[in-house]
Amino acid sequence: MKISYNWLKQFLNLDWEAEKTAELLTDLGLEVEGVEEFQSVSGGLEGVVVGEVLSCIQHPNADRLKLTTVDLGNGEPVQIVCGAPNVEQGQKVPVATIGTTLHPISGDEFKIKKGKIRGQESHGMICAEDELGLGSSHDGIMVLDPKLKAGTPAAKVFDIETDRIFEIGLTPNRADAMSHYGVARDLKAGLLQKEINVELITPSVSAFHVDSRTLKIDVDVVDLDRAPRYCGVTISGLKVEESPTWLQNRLRSVGLSPINNIVDATNYVLHELGQPLHAFDAAKITDNKVVVKTLPKGTKFITLDEVERELHPEDLMICDGVKPMCIAGVFGGIHSGVSENTTSIFLESAYFDPVSIRKTAKRHGLNTDASFRFERGIDPNITEYALKRAALLIAEVAGGEISGDVFDSYPNKIEDFQVVMSFDNAKRLIGEEIPRETIKAILMSLEIKINNVTETGLGLTVPAYRNDVQREADIIEEILRVYGYNRIGTSEKLNASIAYTSKYEDFRIQNVIGNQLVSQGFYEMMANSLTTGRYTELSEDIDSANTVSILNPLSQDLASLRQSMLFGGLEVLSYNLNRQQNDLKLFEFGKTYWKKDSKWLENKHLALFVTGNKDDESWNIEKKETDFFFAKGVIQTVLKRLGLKRIVEGGLKSDLFSEGISLSSDSKAIVEFGLVKRSILKTFDIDQNVIYADFDWDRILELVPHQEIVFEEIPKFPEVRRDFALLLDDGVSFDAIKKIALKSERKLLKSVNLFDVYQGKNLPKGKKSYAVSFVMQDNRKTLTDKQIDKIMSKLQSNFEKELGAELR
């Protein structure tokens, strides 16, 4: 939020440096993220001076150019080539000298340099008003008051306003500070703690009066819940034109572009007092009637941005006798706003229900200055005051007269908050005792009324505009921020307690596995749990009926909670691939959510994503793409690190994968992984293979504590390795070989490994060759050749019998 220091000084007669004010605002909780300089004319006309045209003759080489001699007040006249048709001898003109940077109204800034134009030297530039940023005219050069002295800086002639702008990072709870008046109110309280007592000046509306009653607009507030207070007044005899310079400068200083004097006046009051207003062209209000109500679902409405929107039955609308005119508190309609032909208006000032406005704004994807304030909660008690302030300002800048009585619907007054604060609790929460008189002074400076004082505490009334201060803790926080956090001393003693946590705590196991994956070249990622419901269309395994939807989503792309970790991960992969990061190994710990049989469920997962090459590009490493078996190896190391044993491999029935397997323990799947289907990858514009693994982390947390660690003595006797080259049918898997081998020799056979696969020439059709190694060891003695040969013969026999294998 931008706050103008000059504007702030209209409320406080303050002569402080901007930096000191910024520091105090930050101490008060209104964090100033930056201070910028603003000039009503870009560049402040630095380098532009008043010049006197001493001579003006025709350019010898150009019909449309003039050759002038100009006195710049330094005793050394310069020659300037000028193309303006109205330049004449004896004029006083604005001259941009050599080295000056001009900031024209339209186009890019440019620097004045010494040069030659059609063979004649030019030492500057005589300027038009658009070239100086003072207006839009380019009909000719500006001709100044002949009484001006040559050499006078143009900044003095045109009264350039310089301002300092505070960029405040306003927290959502501080709705009371969403205006210059609100910031000034806080600043006054902070200054009192520095023993600087300044008056808070508020704009007067005592001059407001009804000039005539010639234009009556009937108002009917049907929905009092969504519009607790609604005010309006008519103003006639207006002339819509450009706003005066001072008003345009104020709006530009806070980042707004001036539109016309009516709209600018409402925007001015919005940023001055924090009260949004809306001006309707009275001639466009059918039946001279305004109705505040909701409309049926599906009603079409075109907003100011020329977008046709479909209304929700809970959207509050401002209507006339026939049609909707405005989405209340959010955005105006295209057919009811002020135009250059407007001569009378109905001016609206209201307090709308914050929850209703927020839901409407989010449903339509709109975020306006008005909705920003309404949805956080404005002051319901300045509605009429702000209306009168805006009406007087409009009459000042656009003429006209108040042509009707003020309408004010406020049947159920929004009450102030009653809070009791204990002095003991204040001391306990703050950490030290603040003098009671100081506490009372701070509360009164914040417009918090002290109803009664006892030995133990205070009975307080908090104004309705402070909707974030409704508890005792809130009151104590207000005292502390104004008193100053920096004034609270720190204890020389530090107390801490040691908490016992099990080594099987979720976060501990996550850290162990996370560190292991990082050591294997993975990066941890965090995807959003909010996603689009459209992803359920990509898989029949994900039922859209089980989706957990958000009641007031930020957008349709964030309208539901994820049922799978896959799609958020693919979004991350796509983002990185589009930025030439093609070799990715990512992991994420996260949750999925769904509803089933009226129950809300959530599961924790570990997701792995692998795509691209295994290693970074290097001259001494062969480029090799990651594949299914690389991912399987990573998964096995994770399970091994977790101490999980008796892992059983099985098939996988999921339409998320083109091929994949499931790993189970105790008949329950703990990991599913495989190659993601091409049709799904295409949705995310991913052209390379992606391997995805999904760990059921909740199940893993159940299993890990029950894994027994068995310690064995390191064998003293050597291992023996023997190899088989087996000719097998294509359909035989290595897993089948391994199971038969371990079943054939349970005691001495320690491991079975596949180290080569061959398919191709010199092999019968439908056959393949596996090279398999077998490692044997006896922990009590050295194996003999007789024992080894017996085991190998048994293995060969079983392979031939059960698999139809042949030795090559």
Side-chain angles (χ1 to χ4, degrees):
M1 182 182 72
K2 294 181 183 295
I3 292 293
S4 157
Y5 198 24
N6 287 351
W7 201 341
L8 208 57
K9 289 178 182 177
Q10 291 180 199
F11 295 97
L12 299 171
N13 187 12
L14 187 63
D15 190 23
W16 258 26
E17 294 177 2
E19 286 69 22
K20 288 176 66 177
T21 303
E23 184 179 337
L24 179 55
L25 288 172
T26 299
D27 289 344
L28 288 166
L30 302 176
E31 183 181 359
V32 177
E33 297 174 340
V35 182
E36 301 175 352
E37 186 170 353
F38 168 79
Q39 293 174 317
S40 56
V41 175
S42 295
L45 298 183
E46 186 176 348
V48 181
V49 298
V50 175
E52 181 179 359
V53 182
L54 301 178
S55 66
C56 178
I57 61 174
Q58 187 65 43
H59 191 293
N61 302 319
D63 293 339
R64 297 186 178 182
L65 298 178
K66 301 286 181 64
L67 202 59
T68 66
T69 304
V70 182
D71 177 13
L72 300 180
N74 57 6
E76 298 179 6
V78 296
Q79 178 174 285
I80 298 176
V81 177
C82 180
N86 64 328
V87 61
E88 294 179 0
Q89 182 179 348
Q91 291 174 335
K92 297 289 178 65
V93 292
V95 179
T97 56
I98 301 297
T100 298
T101 299
L102 292 180
H103 304 263
I105 289 291
S106 59
D108 298 328
E109 63 181 47
F110 60 93
K111 192 172 185 178
I112 303 300
K113 300 177 181 178
K114 176 183 175 182
K116 281 189 176 182
I117 302 176
R118 294 291 183 92
Q120 296 293 321
E121 287 189 358
S122 184
H123 297 263
M125 177 178 173
I126 303 175
C127 302
E129 68 174 39
D130 67 327
E131 293 163 337
L132 295 175
L134 294 171
S136 57
S137 173
H138 194 71
D139 295 336
I141 59 167
M142 293 187 73
V143 180
L144 305 178
D145 187 339
K147 297 178 182 178
L148 292 173
K149 185 178 179 181
T152 303
K156 292 184 178 180
V157 176
F158 295 103
D159 192 23
I160 304 301
E161 182 181 355
T162 300
D163 197 356
R164 304 298 296 278
I165 308 300
F166 303 125
E167 183 66 49
I168 295 179
L170 195 66
T171 53
N173 64 307
R174 292 303 308 276
D176 62 296
M178 293 188 296
S179 65
H180 285 77
Y181 176 66
V183 173
R185 186 168 48 200
D186 244 29
L187 188 57
K188 179 182 186 299
L191 289 168
L192 282 174
Q193 290 304 302
K194 297 184 177 295
E195 299 182 350
I196 301 174
N197 191 357
V198 290
E199 181 186 358
L200 182 62
I201 305 165
T202 55
S204 173
V205 295
S206 59
F208 181 89
H209 65 278
V210 178
D211 297 297
S212 68
R213 291 178 174 82
T214 55
L215 178 57
K216 187 176 186 296
I217 302 289
D218 294 321
V219 180
D220 182 11
V221 182
V222 176
D223 196 327
L224 293 171
D225 291 331
R226 292 184 175 87
R229 188 172 190 184
Y230 191 87
C231 297
V233 71
T234 59
I235 308 174
S236 302
L238 301 169
K239 183 179 181 182
V240 178
E241 56 188 3
E242 276 193 358
S243 297
T245 302
W246 70 266
L247 180 52
Q248 293 190 41
N249 288 342
R250 280 286 177 266
L251 296 180
R252 287 194 180 104
S253 71
V254 293
L256 295 182
S257 298
I259 298 172
N260 60 53
N261 49 2
I262 307 296
V263 177
D264 291 351
T266 61
N267 283 334
Y268 180 89
V269 174
L270 166 70
H271 286 270
E272 179 185 51
L273 301 176
Q275 171 67 56
L277 302 112
H278 191 78
F280 298 91
D281 188 332
K284 299 175 183 177
I285 301 176
T286 306
D287 297 337
N288 278 0
K289 186 176 184 180
V290 169
V291 185
V292 184
K293 63 180 181 178
T294 55
L295 294 174
K297 181 181 179 180
T299 302
K300 306 294 184 182
F301 180 66
I302 302 175
T303 45
L304 277 171
D305 54 1
E306 299 182 359
V307 174
E308 184 177 77
R309 304 180 188 274
E310 192 170 296
L311 299 180
H312 187 276
E314 293 182 0
D315 292 338
L316 185 65
M317 301 297 295
I318 311 300
C319 309
D320 61 18
V322 175
K323 62 187 182 300
M325 299 190 295
C326 173
I327 302 177
V330 180
F331 210 24
I334 195 168
H335 299 303
S336 62
V338 172
S339 69
E340 59 184 9
N341 299 317
T342 298
T343 58
S344 59
I345 63 170
F346 173 76
L347 184 63
E348 166 197 277
S349 178
Y351 174 86
F352 297 119
D353 176 60
V355 175
S356 171
I357 297 300
R358 176 170 175 77
K359 287 183 177 180
T360 295
K362 296 307 176 187
R363 271 194 292 267
H364 296 288
L366 294 169
N367 183 23
T368 61
D369 280 342
S371 68
F372 178 81
R373 287 160 174 80
F374 276 128
E375 66 190 26
R376 284 161 175 78
I378 62 170
D379 184 355
N381 296 318
I382 68 162
T383 310
E384 184 182 7
Y385 167 72
L387 179 73
K388 292 179 177 179
R389 165 66 174 152
L392 288 172
L393 184 58
I394 289 171
E396 176 187 336
V397 300
E401 61 179 19
I402 310 299
S403 53
D405 293 316
V406 172
F407 172 85
D408 186 5
S409 168
Y410 196 17
N412 302 307
K413 188 176 186 300
I414 297 173
E415 299 295 335
D416 296 336
F417 310 110
Q418 304 299 318
V419 183
V420 175
M421 189 208 75
S422 162
F423 291 125
D424 287 341
N425 285 340
K427 180 181 178 182
R428 179 176 58 83
L429 290 177
I430 292 172
E432 68 178 53
E433 188 169 7
I434 297 176
R436 296 185 179 186
E437 290 304 314
T438 302
I439 288 176
K440 290 189 281 186
I442 289 172
L443 292 173
M444 288 188 291
S445 70
L446 292 172
E447 299 183 0
I448 296 174
K449 183 181 177 183
I450 300 173
N451 299 323
N452 56 75
V453 182
T454 67
E455 282 298 314
T456 58
L458 301 172
L460 306 168
T461 297
V462 182
Y465 66 81
R466 289 308 308 268
N467 53 35
D468 62 322
V469 182
Q470 300 184 30
R471 305 170 302 165
E472 181 185 35
D474 300 329
I475 293 288
I476 295 170
E477 182 185 6
E478 289 296 293
I479 294 167
L480 182 54
R481 74 176 181 85
V482 175
Y483 181 75
Y485 289 96
N486 296 333
R487 295 172 65 182
I488 304 299
T490 54
S491 172
E492 296 180 359
K493 181 182 178 182
L494 179 64
N495 297 322
S497 58
I498 299 173
Y500 170 78
T501 55
S502 167
K503 66 179 180 179
Y504 299 116
E505 288 284 345
D506 185 6
F507 76 93
R508 290 182 182 274
I509 299 176
Q510 280 192 43
N511 286 340
V512 168
I513 299 306
N515 288 336
Q516 174 166 315
L517 289 170
V518 168
S519 70
Q520 292 178 286
F522 281 75
Y523 287 90
E524 185 170 11
M525 59 172 252
M526 293 176 67
N528 200 335
S529 296
L530 296 173
T531 185
T532 173
R534 294 191 300 271
Y535 288 153
T536 59
E537 301 169 7
L538 301 177
S539 170
E540 293 182 2
D541 293 344
I542 302 174
D543 190 350
S544 60
N546 296 334
T547 299
V548 180
S549 299
I550 306 299
L551 294 177
N552 54 339
L554 294 172
S555 71
Q556 290 307 306
D557 289 334
L558 300 171
S560 58
L561 289 168
R562 62 185 174 189
Q563 290 192 58
S564 170
M565 301 284 286
L566 175 61
F567 306 118
L570 293 179
E571 287 178 350
V572 174
L573 291 182
S574 177
Y575 181 90
N576 283 273
L577 291 170
N578 288 337
R579 287 155 181 79
Q580 288 75 53
Q581 301 299 313
N582 298 320
D583 306 325
L584 300 167
K585 293 190 278 287
L586 306 173
F587 72 95
E588 178 187 10
F589 289 99
K591 291 183 177 181
T592 57
Y593 311 82
W594 71 97
K595 59 182 179 182
K596 189 174 183 181
D597 300 330
S598 72
K599 291 183 179 179
W600 305 92
L601 305 170
E602 60 181 72
N603 268 13
K604 196 157 193 176
H605 300 258
L606 165 61
L608 305 184
F609 298 88
V610 180
T611 188
N613 295 319
K614 289 182 182 179
D615 302 296
D616 293 335
E617 192 173 23
S618 176
W619 65 274
N620 63 347
I621 298 177
E622 181 183 353
K623 184 184 289 187
K624 193 171 182 181
E625 190 176 348
T626 52
D627 55 20
F628 180 88
F629 296 101
F630 169 80
K632 184 177 180 181
V634 172
I635 292 165
Q636 287 175 333
T637 61
V638 169
L639 297 177
K640 186 175 181 181
R641 184 68 183 85
L642 289 167
L644 298 179
K645 302 172 184 177
R646 298 184 294 277
I647 303 299
V648 179
E649 239 178 66
L652 179 60
K653 295 181 180 179
S654 172
D655 63 357
L656 296 176
F657 303 99
S658 56
E659 55 183 273
I661 61 173
S662 170
L663 301 180
S664 303
S665 178
D666 294 341
S667 302
K668 291 186 178 180
I670 54 174
V671 191
E672 295 180 346
F673 70 98
L675 282 167
V676 180
K677 284 176 68 172
R678 280 283 178 186
S679 59
I680 294 176
L681 296 179
K682 188 176 180 181
T683 303
F684 296 87
D685 295 325
I686 297 175
D687 296 326
Q688 58 193 57
N689 287 333
V690 174
I691 301 153
Y692 165 61
D694 182 12
F695 290 75
D696 186 339
W697 195 251
D698 288 326
R699 177 64 182 152
I700 287 171
L701 292 177
E702 292 175 5
L703 293 172
V704 168
H706 303 292
Q707 303 304 308
E708 294 183 1
I709 299 174
V710 180
F711 294 91
E712 293 181 348
E713 185 180 356
I714 297 174
K716 298 177 181 178
F717 303 98
E719 294 178 341
V720 177
R721 169 175 164 160
R722 292 289 186 270
D723 300 338
F724 273 165
L726 299 172
L727 187 65
L728 302 158
D729 292 336
D730 276 342
V732 176
S733 67
F734 169 68
D735 188 56
I737 296 172
K738 185 175 181 179
K739 285 179 179 178
I740 292 170
L742 293 174
K743 184 179 178 181
S744 301
E745 177 53 57
R746 300 177 186 274
K747 185 177 178 183
L748 301 179
L749 186 61
K750 301 299 181 183
S751 66
V752 183
N753 184 48
L754 176 66
F755 63 89
D756 190 35
V757 178
Y758 177 74
Q759 289 176 294
K761 292 191 299 182
N762 303 324
L763 290 183
K765 187 177 180 181
K767 295 288 186 178
K768 63 183 176 183
S769 175
Y770 273 4
V772 185
S773 67
F774 305 89
V775 176
M776 293 159 281
Q777 186 179 42
D778 190 332
N779 294 339
R780 296 173 297 174
K781 62 179 186 287
T782 302
L783 289 171
T784 64
D785 289 340
K786 186 177 180 180
Q787 287 176 294
I788 297 167
D789 291 341
K790 182 179 178 182
I791 294 170
M792 296 305 293
S793 296
K794 187 176 181 182
L795 291 175
Q796 180 182 346
S797 174
N798 289 341
F799 290 152
E800 291 172 350
K801 187 186 302 180
E802 297 188 35
L803 301 176
E806 300 177 29
L807 286 183
R808 292 187 66 197

